[in-house]
Amino acid sequence: KIDETFESDRAGFIKAIILGMRGELDKGTYKLYQRSGIAHILAISGLHVSLFGIGLYKLLRKILQRSFLLSASLASVFLVFYGLLVGDSVSIVRASTMLILYFIAEVIGRSYCIISALSISAVTISLISPFEPCGLSFQLSFVAVLKRFKPMEKKDKSSCSYRVFKILVVSIGVQLLTLPVTLYYFYTFPLYAFLINILVIPLMSFVLYSSMLSLVLNILRLILYKYISVFTVAILRFYDFLCIITKYL
């Protein structure tokens, strides 16, 4: 259905970010993204799992009349099978474990502590694979989660300006926290990648949700999927535009 929904040069990208199938990804696109420092969006990561998991959980709560237990159970089962489908990498296991703990906290009516959830997921991964903490993927994945510090409080948290501010803080925060690890292993970091990722990372949520919505509408034979997919392709073209600009930097 992905090939039917999207253009041939974009279908490979969608398969990579949803199913982890990078075999059909255009090599020119991958090299362009890699040079610009945004190739990380092509790999299934904790970001993808979190967006899918939270999105499904909230959707089920609305459909099932706010049934916490059933919604959390179905979302947790989805996370487990999705992880098995795309591969149980460190970031996927970490994100899935933390999300399931979040669902448990919602069901029993307890507050969710991100540090406790992060610690439990780290212990779980270490028990399964004791040498994993020495790996790059483990360090980057767990350091990146520390970005979720609270930004400066604003009076109107529902305002558009506050939401934009929060997105920018998260995007900048994750790059600052992962910068030491990146420099330690790769000895280099393109400065323009820092600026590009401020725009790329927040837009990934729209790419994932719009592409999934397009696929569902196509499966249901609703012509609306063509208009939703245009939105997805527009963001991907914007990514290409940003990458092309970096050639002249």
Side-chain angles (χ1 to χ4, degrees):
K1 286 296 181 180
I2 293 179
D3 293 320
E4 294 179 9
T5 307
F6 298 95
E7 304 170 0
S8 57
D9 58 334
R10 303 298 177 183
F13 181 97
I14 302 301
K15 290 179 181 178
I17 64 173
I18 294 180
L19 302 176
M21 299 170 57
R22 299 171 63 175
E24 298 182 25
L25 182 64
D26 182 68
K27 292 183 179 180
T29 300
Y30 179 76
K31 290 182 179 179
L32 187 64
Y33 281 30
Q34 189 177 42
R35 182 184 180 279
S36 303
I38 63 171
H40 59 87
I41 67 174
L42 298 173
I44 299 292
S45 65
L47 171 66
H48 302 69
V49 176
S50 299
L51 290 173
F52 286 146
I54 289 294
L56 178 61
Y57 174 68
K58 291 184 176 180
L59 178 62
L60 288 173
R61 279 188 57 188
K62 290 184 178 180
I63 296 175
L64 301 175
Q65 301 299 321
R66 298 182 177 274
S67 175
F68 287 94
L69 180 58
L70 185 56
S71 300
S73 300
L74 292 175
S76 298
V77 171
F78 166 79
L79 289 175
V80 172
F81 281 99
Y82 183 69
L84 294 174
L85 174 66
V86 301
D88 53 348
S89 66
V90 171
S91 59
I92 293 175
V93 175
R94 189 266 309 157
S96 299
T97 303
M98 294 182 69
L99 268 181
I100 291 174
L101 291 172
Y102 169 75
F103 297 153
I104 294 174
E106 287 273 290
V107 171
I108 64 178
R110 299 293 295 272
S111 59
Y112 175 72
C113 177
I114 189 172
I115 299 300
S116 298
L118 188 66
S119 301
I120 293 174
S121 62
V123 171
T124 302
I125 293 172
S126 298
L127 289 174
I128 297 173
S129 180
F131 295 102
E132 203 66 62
C134 300
L136 173 62
S137 58
F138 181 96
Q139 295 171 20
L140 282 176
S141 180
F142 279 83
V143 169
V145 178
L146 296 177
K147 71 183 181 295
R148 296 188 180 183
F149 55 84
K150 290 185 178 180
M152 294 183 297
E153 295 293 332
K154 291 184 177 290
K155 293 182 179 180
D156 186 10
K157 293 186 178 182
S158 62
S159 65
C160 181
S161 59
Y162 175 78
R163 292 180 179 178
V164 172
F165 169 79
K166 189 174 181 179
I167 290 173
L168 291 177
V169 167
V170 170
S171 182
I172 294 173
V174 65
Q175 294 188 79
L176 290 177
L177 287 171
T178 56
L179 180 59
V181 179
T182 303
L183 292 176
Y184 178 80
Y185 282 98
F186 300 106
Y187 312 108
T188 183
F189 181 80
L191 295 178
Y192 51 78
F194 181 85
L195 300 175
I196 292 177
N197 275 288
I198 293 177
L199 299 173
V200 170
I201 295 176
L203 287 175
M204 271 306 296
S205 59
F206 296 101
V207 173
L208 288 170
Y209 285 142
S210 60
S211 59
M212 286 297 296
L213 180 59
S214 298
L215 289 172
V216 172
L217 292 176
N218 189 12
I219 293 173
L220 297 176
R221 299 298 181 182
L222 297 177
I223 196 65
L224 186 61
Y225 82 88
K226 293 185 177 181
Y227 302 99
I228 304 296
S229 62
V230 169
F231 178 74
T232 307
V233 173
I235 297 178
L236 298 184
R237 287 177 177 171
F238 177 66
Y239 284 176
D240 294 344
F241 172 73
L242 292 176
C243 293
I244 292 173
I245 291 178
T246 61
K247 290 184 177 181
Y248 302 98
L249 298 179

